[in-house]
Every structure is written in structure tokens, then in C-alpha cells.
Amino acid sequence: MNIYSIIKKPHVTEKTSLGSDTSNTVSIVVDRDANKIEIKQAVETLFKVKVDDVRTVNVAGKVKRVGKNFGKRSNWKKAYVTLQKGQSIDFFEV
């Protein structure tokens, strides 16, 4: 699998912002077929940081209703990547 297709986008919420400040962890939306080893290699290569730990979560898509019709959002995968001390990823550089 190509390292550029593994990482989709950062997943930035209040909870993940607190995690990045306190435990040096970032949250990333990744390809559903990617495993922890591939995610670690992709993050280390693309962002030039050292990864300490990778935890993954398969997130089920929500069922949504528009009028009388029901639809379902796609399932997706999220990875919590813990970086080594002194390392950081800044997704929004100014």
C-alpha cells in the first residue's frame, strides 16, 4: 500500500487537541485496510517524526434521515499515534 494513500486527514476535535497537549498524541483518519505497522511507517516517513505507539479504532458510520428516507454514512478508521518525547506534528502551521 502506498504511504500517501494510508493517511487521509487529521482528525481534530476538542478531545484530540487536549490529547496532543498532554500525552503527545495525534489523531489521524486512515485507510480502512491499513494496519498499525503501515500507519507507523507512513507517519514517520511523511512527517519525519519518531512514533512510539499506534492505536486504531474502526468507527461505524451513522444512520441519518432526510425526510422519510434513511441513509448511512461510510464506516472509517481512526488512528491515535503517540509520538516520542520532543517530537510534534503541527497540522496547521501559520
Side-chain angles (χ1 to χ4, degrees), residues 1-64:
M1 185 176 279
N2 184 4
I3 62 169
Y4 294 104
S5 64
I6 291 175
I7 296 176
K8 304 267 185 196
K9 61 183 178 179
H11 187 250
V12 180
T13 61
E14 286 184 50
K15 184 177 178 181
T16 59
S17 296
L18 291 174
S20 65
D21 292 340
T22 58
S23 62
N24 207 20
T25 302
V26 294
S27 179
I28 302 171
V29 177
V30 295
D31 188 74
R32 289 187 57 207
D33 296 330
N35 61 28
K36 293 181 182 185
I37 297 168
E38 292 172 337
I39 295 168
K40 178 179 179 178
Q41 291 172 349
V43 170
E44 286 180 343
T45 304
L46 292 175
F47 298 109
K48 295 179 180 39
V49 294
K50 295 292 182 184
V51 174
D52 199 25
D53 185 36
V54 176
R55 293 172 292 147
T56 59
V57 179
N58 287 313
V59 181
K62 294 181 179 181
V63 175
K64 290 292 186 176

Side-chain angles (χ1 to χ4, degrees), residues 62-72:
K62 294 181 179 181
V63 175
K64 290 292 186 176
R65 180 177 175 169
V66 179
K68 64 179 181 177
N69 299 323
F70 287 92
K72 184 178 179 295

